[in-house]
Amino acid sequence: MTPAQDRRARRVLITGLSTYWGGRLAEALEADDAIEAIVGVDSREPTRELNRTEFVRVSNQHALLERIVRAAAIDTVIDTRMIVNSAVAPAAVRHENNVLGTMNILAACSGADSPVRKFVFKSSSLAYGSFADDPAFFTEDMTRKHPASTSLENDIDEAEAAVEEFASRNPDVTVTCLRCANVLGPDVVTNFTRMFALPVIPTILGFDPRIGFVHEDDIVHALEHAAFYDLPGCFNVVGDGVLVMSEVISLLGKRAAPVLPPFKAGAVLAALRALGLGMPPEMVEMMRFGRGLDNRRLKATGFEYGYTSRETVVEFGEKLRLNAVMRGMESSYIYEREVEDFLRWSPLVNREGSSGG
């Protein structure tokens, strides 16, 4: 049964506003009149130009976050901070962000007098792992068949366990966990987008893993969907269909180079470094065994994907072909507190004509 949509005015807190997903989500929610207020928190400045999202520079300190939650009467918290690429930060930094940070945010949402009634957690399909004897498709009720093989996967397991414990202790709060698959899109940067941009795609000898993709826009829409519907539990987020790596490479108009040794992650990583490439260990396992996800649970709530896995790959291939033409034409946003304050609050600004109004 499709859950009823709750169109009450919402007061939303987005954690990780400076991340790609935090910024994209804030942009999307700003366009919805049902959202009464949006507060974004992060230790870094926003990376996207936002009109009515209030930015507060704060780290994952639960006491400060709790004050913000209560002062702004936040009813919906959407946590987008999860680091899912071990190559972007040292293990200690990832653990502090993914595990300790999640615990602190959950603590800020706790208490009998907390106004929070919905918590949405952006997680990763890395929670299932990637092994030779995995099922063809993981459903949300399944767990990994073997212990976590990387520190990042351990972090994700711990973070999800903390979210599950929070849900059990706070039955009056709707807690949603979105396990997102491998992402492609015109703007997002991931290990796969970097690898697929290479002239020749390195593959592991003897392996042609199955793999599903989700378009970056569909992840943003899934986060929005969870904000407006009561969706307790975990949901896989991946486009329809599953491909094998050779098919993906063909759709991209690329050639495969089976140059990586088939066994031992250390040997694969050393071979990649020799080629001048970086690939974190969790991706090496994906390049061996892949991962299939069942997406029926989220679709049963009324969510509609804009792209299948195949369409996601095809669109990304078109983006790659346009890169040579568009290179150097992109402009980036730089956050300036004084300018933002002027555009938002000065009586001299024409609110209807200003993008900062």
Side-chain angles (χ1 to χ4, degrees), residues 122-278:
K122 181 185 174 296
S123 188
S124 168
S125 61
L126 286 169
Y128 297 114
S130 188
F131 300 95
D133 57 348
D134 282 345
F137 293 92
F138 276 103
T139 67
E140 292 85 348
D141 297 326
M142 296 177 179
T143 58
R144 63 169 68 246
K145 301 189 70 172
H146 302 276
S149 58
T150 69
S151 61
L152 175 58
E153 291 177 358
N154 269 318
D155 286 349
I156 292 171
D157 289 349
E158 289 186 49
E160 284 202 4
V163 172
E164 184 177 355
E165 182 180 1
F166 172 83
S168 65
R169 291 184 176 181
N170 297 272
D172 56 335
V173 179
T174 300
V175 178
T176 304
C177 176
L178 299 179
R179 290 177 178 155
C180 302
N182 306 287
V183 190
L184 294 177
D187 297 317
V188 69
V189 177
T190 70
N191 290 318
F192 275 109
T193 64
R194 292 190 184 97
M195 186 178 75
F196 290 155
L198 297 172
V200 178
I201 310 302
T203 59
I204 297 178
L205 289 165
F207 289 86
D208 194 13
R210 67 198 185 287
I211 189 167
F213 290 99
V214 59
H215 194 282
E216 60 182 63
D217 291 348
D218 282 330
I219 288 188
V220 177
H221 295 155
L223 290 166
E224 286 185 276
H225 186 71
F228 286 111
Y229 289 86
D230 286 334
L231 309 177
C234 286
F235 298 84
N236 293 333
V237 185
V238 64
D240 287 346
V242 65
L243 308 169
V244 292
M245 185 58 67
S246 58
E247 187 178 7
V248 173
I249 294 171
S250 176
L251 288 171
L252 294 174
K254 303 276 187 171
R255 290 188 301 110
V259 297
L260 304 178
F263 301 108
K264 295 186 179 180
V268 175
L269 295 173
L272 286 167
R273 285 193 294 269
L275 293 171
L277 303 174

Side-chain angles (χ1 to χ4, degrees), residues 13 39 41 56 58-59 61-74 104-105 107-110 113-116:
L13 175 72
V39 178
V41 296
V56 183
V58 63
S59 61
Q61 297 170 283
H62 79 268
L64 297 179
L65 292 170
E66 183 177 5
R67 290 176 63 188
I68 294 169
V69 165
R70 283 161 172 71
I74 297 296
N104 284 338
I105 290 167
C109 299
S110 301
D113 60 342
S114 174
V116 175

Side-chain angles (χ1 to χ4, degrees), residues 28-83:
L29 293 181
E30 284 189 344
D32 196 318
D33 293 338
I35 302 296
E36 181 180 280
I38 308 169
V39 178
V41 296
D42 209 313
S43 59
R44 298 175 298 164
E45 295 171 343
T47 54
R48 307 183 84 86
E49 185 174 2
L50 301 169
N51 295 327
R52 62 188 185 97
T53 300
E54 294 296 323
F55 167 58
V56 183
R57 187 192 299 273
V58 63
S59 61
N60 299 325
Q61 297 170 283
H62 79 268
L64 297 179
L65 292 170
E66 183 177 5
R67 290 176 63 188
I68 294 169
V69 165
R70 283 161 172 71
I74 297 296
D75 55 67
T76 302
V77 174
I78 307 178
D79 187 3
T80 69
R81 307 160 305 102
M82 176 72 79
I83 296 174

